[in-house]
């Protein structure tokens, strides 16, 4: 009995001092304390509403990083290119991709949707010159794939000061531009969203057009395709796209009143600290590190007064 008591006392004495400290505030608590100025409203010209039978997916484009692709996607959307197309593949722990089913290897090329006035090829926008005028919130924990990582305008970004280049990172929820083998074949007519662990090997090799702000469950919870790379074997398995619209082309009363937490705000810094050093009764040991894909800019809908 005395021996057991001695062991128990020794274990208690060895417990980290933080176990007795007040638990770290939760993300919900930190966001509840945020100030209105810490939130930004995405420009309607940069918001896409993709309507699926199951609901709506809201995507924010990233024109400061991939301006040519953003412009081409706007043209495709305004000319109703995506209407009636489909989600063509869902690869487990990788991506959900949508576009023209007839663009697949076995598709009927005579039935391809016309690109209209959009460009069929674009210069690859895999990275851009570092722009010191853009907001930059560095993450100082280090990274395997980039000399520096951080956040800009709500997007995860990698940087290489030696080359003077920066690029968007393939974290969960990021929207990339599918392409063929040639680098310039990614026009934005086929897009994908990351639904698994961050496939960072894609960084520098494909352009990233933006990020899903709402509706990720509609993309990540779909049945996986049985074909290699997750392509569906039967047309009936594909999820049809009812429409894709720019928020700028939708009446203001029908837009989603959405806001994104600024990644250069005090509240986002507090969220980073809570992720890195947080502890509570369930997680008594802080990790002490944070991966760039381990946190994302929170999104909220603003309640509007009834008319």
């Amino acid at each position: 009995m005395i021996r057991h008591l001695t062991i128990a006392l020794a274990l208690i004495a060895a417990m980290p001092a933080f176990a007795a400290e007040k638990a770290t505030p939760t993300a919900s608590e930190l966001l509840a304390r945020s100030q209105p100025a810490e939130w930004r409203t995405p420009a309607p010209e940069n918001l896409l509403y993709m309507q699926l039978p199951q609901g709506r997916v809201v995507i924010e484009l990233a024109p400061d990083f991939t301006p040519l692709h953003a412009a081409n996607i706007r043209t495709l959307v305004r000319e109703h290119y995506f209407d009636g197309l489909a989600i063509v593949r869902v690869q487990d722990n990788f991506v959900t991709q949508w576009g023209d089913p007839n663009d697949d290897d076995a598709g009927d090329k005579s039935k391809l949707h016309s690109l209209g006035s959009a460009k069929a090829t674009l210069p690859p926008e895999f990275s851009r010159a570092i722009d010191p005028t853009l907001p930059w919130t560095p993450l100082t924990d280090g990274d395997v794939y980039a000399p520096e990582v951080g956040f800009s305008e709500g997007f995860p970004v990698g940087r290489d000061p030696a080359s003077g280049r920066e690029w968007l990172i393939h974290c969960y929820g990021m929207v990339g531009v599918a392409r063929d083998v040639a680098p310039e074949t990614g026009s934005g007519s086929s897009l994908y969203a990351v639904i698994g662990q961050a496939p960072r090997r894609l960084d520098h090799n494909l352009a990233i057009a933006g990020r899903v702000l709402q509706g990720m469950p509609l993309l990540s919870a779909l049945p996986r395709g049985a074909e290699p790379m997750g392509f569906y074997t039967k047309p009936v398995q594909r999820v049809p796209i009812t429409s894709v619209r720019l928020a700028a082309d939708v009446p203001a009363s029908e837009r989603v009143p959405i806001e994104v937490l600024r990644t250069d705000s005090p509240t986002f810094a507090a969220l980073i600290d809570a992720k890195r050093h947080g502890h509570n009764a369930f997680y008594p040991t802080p990790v002490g590190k944070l991966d760039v894909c381990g946190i994302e800019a929170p999104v909220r809908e603003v309640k509007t007064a009834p008319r």
Side-chain angles (χ1 to χ4, degrees):
M1 181 69 176
I2 294 176
R3 177 174 176 272
H4 291 164
L5 179 60
T6 302
I7 293 174
L9 291 173
L11 289 173
I12 292 173
M15 289 178 67
F18 60 75
E21 295 176 1
K22 185 178 179 181
T24 306
T26 65
S28 296
E29 291 169 339
L30 291 171
L31 292 174
R33 302 172 192 167
S34 66
Q35 301 301 308
E38 295 184 282
W39 296 82
R40 65 177 178 85
T41 301
E45 280 283 321
N46 294 333
L47 278 186
L48 302 180
Y49 296 157
M50 182 165 70
Q51 190 65 43
L52 305 177
Q54 300 90 334
R56 179 163 53 184
V57 178
V58 181
I59 298 167
E60 182 179 17
L61 297 175
D64 284 329
F65 289 87
T66 47
L68 299 178
H69 287 83
N72 215 44
I73 290 169
R74 289 192 197 100
T75 298
L76 290 166
V77 169
R78 285 195 158 119
E79 296 182 5
H80 297 221
Y81 169 79
F82 291 100
D83 298 6
L85 299 186
I87 292 174
V88 296
R89 75 173 178 121
V90 181
Q91 186 172 356
D92 190 47
N93 199 32
F94 194 44
V95 302
T96 292
Q97 184 173 329
W98 59 94
D100 192 336
N102 287 305
D103 201 26
D104 296 344
D105 291 339
D108 185 347
K109 300 301 185 287
S110 67
K111 296 181 179 179
L112 282 171
H113 269 217
S114 170
L115 296 180
S117 60
K119 299 182 186 307
T121 60
L122 290 172
E125 293 182 300
F126 303 156
S127 67
R128 57 153 296 156
I130 293 175
D131 185 348
T133 67
L134 291 178
W136 171 247
T137 301
L139 192 64
T140 58
D141 301 78
D143 186 74
V144 174
Y145 295 90
E148 294 179 359
V149 291
F151 302 89
S152 182
E153 301 182 315
F155 300 103
V157 177
R159 278 186 170 185
D160 182 3
S163 67
R165 307 295 293 180
E166 61 184 349
W167 57 91
L168 294 178
I169 293 174
H170 278 83
C171 295
Y172 182 83
M174 296 296 281
V175 175
V177 178
R179 64 173 175 84
D180 208 334
V181 175
E184 70 276 3
T185 52
S187 66
S189 61
S190 183
L191 301 170
Y192 62 85
V194 177
I195 63 168
Q197 291 193 354
R200 298 287 301 279
R201 67 186 183 279
L202 301 182
D203 296 352
H204 300 290
N205 291 289
L206 289 104
I208 294 179
R211 177 170 84 101
V212 175
L213 300 185
Q214 278 189 347
M216 268 306 293
L218 300 176
L219 301 176
S220 62
L222 293 171
R224 275 42 178 165
E227 286 289 317
M229 299 179 65
F231 281 94
Y232 290 125
T233 56
K234 300 177 182 179
V236 71
Q237 295 173 302
R238 299 173 185 144
V239 177
I241 297 173
T242 305
S243 66
V244 180
R245 297 287 181 271
L246 277 167
D249 298 336
V250 173
S253 61
E254 298 176 17
R255 296 176 189 172
V256 181
I258 205 167
E259 290 184 336
V260 181
L261 185 69
R262 297 181 61 91
T263 44
D264 57 350
S265 67
T267 294
F268 190 71
L271 288 170
I272 288 177
D273 187 70
K275 281 271 191 177
R276 184 188 289 132
H277 300 299
H279 63 273
N280 54 36
F282 191 82
Y283 294 104
T285 306
V287 176
K289 289 282 187 178
L290 182 62
D291 178 77
V292 67
C293 290
I295 188 171
E296 58 187 23
V299 178
R300 70 180 184 185
E301 277 196 36
V302 182
K303 293 183 179 180
T304 56
R307 300 186 180 214

